[in-house]
């Protein structure tokens, strides 16, 4: 098959692209390199540098390549920051996605795979299940849920199949550890390598289940070949929650280095967020779950070999009222 992977020079996208290339498929990667790096690209892909918000480019790419499947992983996935970059968030995460859906419908794409997020559940009681109606509480989650609904409408209107995954708190090699606004594990590792304080918003009691990337990338890549997955929504990730304070201790252990923890003022975020994964296991078989300590060691080895990255300031802050400390 021929597949488009958006965000394929980024963290999750590069792993999915690698799975597809390894399986012998023809893969085109589209990435604007705003959060990804060319060194993440697997050998054998065709790389196009560009943005999903560029309608002209999207039309040209689809016309030239005639994709069988689309894997849409491009997003600016800074959930907490999305409150303060509302226009940027909706333009990149919502309108950019609509550009892809339009092109996919016009060119007869067989299946559109979309990585949403468990953020769509909002502050409901965990573990979240797919039968719960989403109640998003931030612009990032609102954009994700809007695209979920748009894909369902496109299927009903034109018959284009979709598969929606709601992954969460994914970590591992190739993550952009220089982004101070997202990816808490990468932030902690980068702070340790720079001999800085480890910063935690609030008291650190908030809980998440952290997901090692190689446990889920193959499921996403091979999903289009599972008929029972078509037009379904799946939670995807680890099921064991840890507090952020526990995570900080585990990261220090994996890095073989300790750091002083600085607790910052709590930000507006869901306190407890983790999911049930029975549905994805029923369709794709028993899930591989790398223990957190093991996955952290793998990521730490990669991070130490790669080295720390300078944290870049986000240039498009639209609202500064109540912007969290350190942002």
């Amino acid at each position: 098959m021929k597949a488009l992977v958006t965000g394929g020079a980024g963290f999750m996208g590069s792993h999915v692209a690698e799975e597809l290339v390894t399986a012998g498929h023809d893969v085109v990667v589209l990435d604007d390199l705003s959060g990804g790096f060319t060194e993440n690209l697997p050998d054998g892909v065709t790389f196009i540098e560009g943005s999903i918000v560029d309608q002209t480019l999207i039309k040209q790419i689809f016309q030239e390549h005639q994709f069988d499947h689309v894997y849409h992983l491009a997003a600016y996935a800074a959930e907490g920051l999305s409150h303060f970059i509302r226009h940027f968030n909706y333009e990149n995460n919502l309108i950019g996605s609509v550009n892809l859906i339009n092109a996919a419908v016009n060119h007869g794409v067989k299946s559109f795979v979309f990585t949403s997020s468990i953020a769509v559940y909002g502050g409901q009681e965990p573990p979240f299940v797919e039968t719960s109606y989403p109640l998003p509480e931030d612009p990032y989650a609102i954009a994700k849920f809007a695209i979920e609904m748009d894909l369902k409408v496109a299927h009903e209107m034109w018959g284009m199949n979709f598969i929606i995954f709601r992954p969460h708190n994914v970590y591992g090699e190739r993550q952009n550890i220089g982004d101070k606004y997202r990816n808490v594990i990468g932030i902690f590792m980068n702070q340790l390598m720079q001999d800085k304080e480890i910063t935690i918003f609030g008291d650190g009691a908030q809980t998440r289940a952290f997901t090692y990337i190689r446990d889920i990338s193959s499921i996403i890549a091979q999903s289009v070949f599972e008929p029972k997955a078509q037009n379904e929504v799946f939670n995807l990730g680890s099921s064991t929650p840890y507090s952020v304070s526990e995570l900080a201790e585990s990261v220090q252990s994996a890095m073989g280095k300790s750091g002083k923890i600085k607790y910052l003022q709590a930000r507006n975020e869901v306190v407890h967020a983790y999911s049930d994964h029975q549905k994805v296991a029923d369709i794709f078989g028993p899930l591989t779950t790398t223990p957190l300590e093991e996955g952290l060691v793998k990521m730490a080895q990669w991070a130490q070999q790669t080295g720390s990255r300078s944290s870049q300031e986000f240039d498009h802050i639209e609202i500064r009222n109540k912007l969290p400390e350190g942002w």
Side-chain angles (χ1 to χ4, degrees):
M1 70 165 185
K2 191 164 194 176
L4 172 67
V5 179
T6 68
F11 170 46
M12 290 181 61
S14 67
H15 284 275
V16 171
E18 183 179 41
E19 294 278 356
L20 291 169
V21 170
T22 301
H25 303 299
D26 188 356
V27 178
V28 175
V29 164
L30 174 65
D31 200 299
D32 65 3
L33 301 181
S34 60
F37 305 91
T38 54
E39 57 261 37
N40 290 344
L41 292 166
D43 293 336
V45 303
T46 299
F47 175 56
I48 300 171
E49 183 176 352
S51 172
I52 60 173
V53 304
D54 186 339
Q55 294 185 65
T56 301
L57 176 62
I58 295 299
K59 290 177 181 178
Q60 291 174 348
I61 292 172
F62 275 77
Q63 181 64 43
E64 178 180 353
H65 293 281
Q66 298 297 318
F67 301 110
D68 297 301
H69 303 283
V70 171
Y71 294 80
H72 179 29
L73 293 96
Y76 188 66
E79 183 180 353
L81 187 62
S82 69
H83 291 287
F84 308 96
I85 55 169
R86 306 169 73 83
H87 183 277
F88 181 90
N89 167 74
Y90 290 123
E91 182 176 42
N92 284 269
N93 294 343
L94 179 55
I95 300 303
S97 301
V98 170
N99 291 340
L100 292 168
I101 293 172
N102 285 350
V105 170
N106 284 333
H107 289 274
V109 165
K110 297 175 184 177
S111 186
F112 193 108
V113 181
F114 175 56
T115 50
S116 182
S117 169
I118 70 163
V120 301
Y121 294 110
Q124 300 183 58
E125 186 71 24
F128 307 139
V129 293
E130 292 89 347
T131 53
S132 297
Y133 190 79
L135 296 171
E137 296 186 1
D138 56 73
Y140 170 73
I142 291 169
K144 287 292 191 181
F145 185 44
I147 292 303
E148 289 191 17
M149 292 189 292
D150 195 76
L151 284 169
K152 293 176 183 178
V153 170
H155 170 69
E156 292 169 1
M157 187 74 179
W158 295 289
M160 184 180 72
N161 292 324
F162 64 84
I163 304 169
I164 295 168
F165 290 105
R166 293 171 178 165
H168 55 94
N169 301 98
V170 186
Y171 70 96
E173 301 88 334
R174 303 180 199 155
Q175 194 163 61
N176 182 4
I177 62 176
D179 191 332
K180 68 177 183 178
Y181 304 102
R182 54 179 174 166
N183 306 323
V184 62
I185 292 175
I187 291 171
F188 287 170
M189 289 185 177
N190 204 39
Q191 288 172 333
L192 284 168
M193 286 190 291
Q194 297 182 54
D195 297 318
K196 294 181 178 180
E197 294 175 316
I198 297 173
T199 53
I200 294 177
F201 290 101
D203 60 7
Q206 58 269 51
T207 56
R208 302 288 188 269
F210 299 96
T211 306
Y212 183 58
I213 179 61
R214 295 188 186 276
D215 291 344
I216 66 170
S217 56
S218 61
I219 292 176
I220 296 173
Q222 297 304 316
S223 61
V224 298
F225 303 110
E226 175 49 70
K228 294 180 181 178
Q230 298 296 326
N231 309 311
E232 295 289 344
V233 179
F234 301 96
N235 295 333
L236 187 61
S238 173
S239 301
T240 305
Y242 294 84
S243 73
V244 174
S245 290
E246 289 174 329
L247 175 69
E249 295 298 325
S250 296
V251 170
Q252 291 177 79
S253 177
M255 294 288 287
K257 188 173 185 179
S258 60
K260 180 181 178 181
I261 295 178
K262 179 181 180 181
Y263 291 92
L264 306 176
Q265 183 177 357
R267 66 184 187 187
N268 181 18
E269 64 177 336
V270 172
V271 178
H272 303 292
Y274 49 94
S275 294
D276 175 88
H277 303 102
Q278 188 59 53
K279 181 177 179 180
V280 72
D282 288 344
I283 299 299
F284 294 97
L287 304 177
T288 299
T289 303
T290 300
L292 179 62
E293 293 75 14
E294 180 181 332
L296 288 177
V297 167
K298 293 179 179 179
M299 181 175 175
Q301 291 173 344
W302 165 83
Q304 289 166 332
Q305 291 173 356
T306 304
S308 64
R309 292 187 185 273
S310 298
S311 295
Q312 301 296 314
E313 296 293 329
F314 191 84
D315 294 329
H316 306 286
I317 302 295
E318 300 158 17
I319 299 175
R320 295 194 173 272
N321 184 17
K322 297 185 179 181
L323 188 70
E325 180 183 357
W327 281 6

